[in-house]
Amino acid sequence: RAVQVTAGVVAELDVPISPGWLKVIAPFSMEVREDGQLVGSDDQGRLMLSPGTHRLEFSNATYGVTVKRSVEITPFDTTSLSIEAPTGAVEVKAPDGMQVFIDGTARGVTPLPGPLPLALGTYNVLITDGAGQIKGRQAVTVKAGRPTPVTF
C-alpha cells in the first residue's frame, strides 16, 4: 500500500498484519506459486498467506494441469478454493477387431470411433482378440490437453 507522508502532519495507519489461510481442495496434489515463486503445495493442508488479494498459479506436472486464480485472504480466516480437474482422453491404436478394456471395463472394439474420455489419472489399458486372448497391456497416465496415445 502506498502511504503519503507530509511533514508536520500526524496520521494513523491501520494495516492488518495477521496472516490468513488458504485451503486448496483439488482431486490431486497441486503446487502453488505466486509471481513464479513456490508458496507451497496443497499437501500441507493450509497455506499461510498475508492478507489481501493474491494472484496464484496452481499446477500439477504429472497431469499437465495449470490453473490461475485470484483469492482474497482475510486475517485470521481460512479461505477455501476448489479446483476441478479437466478431463482427458486416450486414443487407442491397435489392429482391427481387438476388444479394448480400461481398468477392466470393456470400452469398444477397434477401430474405435475416436478418443475415449477419462478423468486424469493412471489406467491399465488391455486389448484382447476375438477369442479373449490378451494381445497387449499398457499402463498409461492420462493428462490434460490432448488425448494420450496408446499404440499396440
Side-chain angles (χ1 to χ4, degrees), residues 49-145:
L49 296 170
S50 62
T53 302
H54 295 265
R55 287 170 196 77
L56 303 173
E57 180 178 281
F58 303 86
S59 63
N60 179 293
T62 301
Y63 300 124
V65 176
T66 299
V67 177
K68 294 181 181 181
R69 298 275 174 83
S70 288
V71 296
E72 186 67 30
I73 301 298
T74 305
F76 302 110
D77 201 7
T78 298
T79 300
S80 294
L81 177 68
S82 293
I83 297 177
E84 293 184 24
T87 58
V90 293
E91 187 167 18
V92 179
K93 295 185 180 185
D96 288 355
M98 296 290 157
Q99 179 75 41
V100 177
F101 294 87
I102 298 179
D103 281 352
T105 301
R107 296 297 299 264
V109 176
T110 57
L112 296 171
L116 300 170
L118 292 168
L120 304 185
T122 301
Y123 298 90
N124 289 306
V125 180
L126 175 84
I127 60 168
T128 62
D129 63 15
Q133 295 291 342
I134 295 173
K135 295 297 181 179
R137 177 187 330 241
Q138 290 186 39
V140 61
T141 299
V142 176
K143 298 181 178 186

